Every structure is written in structure tokens, then in C-alpha cells.
Amino acid sequence: SVGGLLLHPSPANDRVWLELPGQVPHGSALAVFAASGALMADAPVDVTGNGMWIDVRSLAPGLYVVTLANGQGRWQGRFAVAR
């Protein structure tokens, strides 16, 4: 299934808060894509709680898509970087 992720603030300057869709199973992966579709970052996600900060200082100003995926589904959200 595909669901939505909430990310804020948008536009972001140095980091963005990702609200997680409930309990995230071990082995979930997070990926950040530029509007062009280029993969900008990816990492496994092992967090407890309802969210996590994503450092966006290395990203150029523009629009981005975040995907969180595991064996149970895939979630996407969008955010912008502005400086």
C-alpha cells in the first residue's frame, strides 16, 4: 500500500521533521529523491517514537520526495528546501 508522510517545515533550511506512520518495522529504508528523480540520500531507519529529523543542509534549494518503505508498504511525502 502507499500512504502519505507529513514533513515540516516546508520550505526547510537545515532540517525537516518526518512524522512516521505509526510503528516503523525494523528493516525499513528511507530515501530522498530530487524532483528530477535522482536519489540524493538513503539510509535504514531504526527509530522509536513518532518521528525523526532529516538533515537537509547538503541539499540544494528545490523540491524533494521522501520515501519510507518496508515489506508492509511504502509511504511518500514532499518537502522543499529554501535558503
Side-chain angles (χ1 to χ4, degrees), residues 11-15 55-62 64 80-83:
N13 184 22
D14 57 352
R15 62 185 186 162
D55 186 339
V56 300
R57 290 176 291 182
S58 65
L59 299 177
Y64 294 89
V81 172
R83 299 211 167 71

Side-chain angles (χ1 to χ4, degrees), residues 7 13 17 20-21 29-30 33 40 62 72 82:
L7 295 116
N13 184 22
W17 178 255
L20 297 171
L30 180 74
F33 296 92
M40 305 305 292
Q72 298 174 2

Side-chain angles (χ1 to χ4, degrees), residues 57-81:
R57 290 176 291 182
S58 65
L59 299 177
L63 298 174
Y64 294 89
V65 174
V66 173
T67 301
L68 178 67
N70 59 42
Q72 298 174 2
R74 183 169 57 98
W75 299 266
Q76 288 186 330
R78 292 181 173 87
F79 70 94
V81 172

Side-chain angles (χ1 to χ4, degrees), residues 33-62:
F33 296 92
S36 66
L39 177 64
M40 305 305 292
D42 64 336
V45 178
D46 285 317
V47 297
T48 56
N50 63 347
M52 62 183 282
W53 287 105
I54 300 173
D55 186 339
V56 300
R57 290 176 291 182
S58 65
L59 299 177

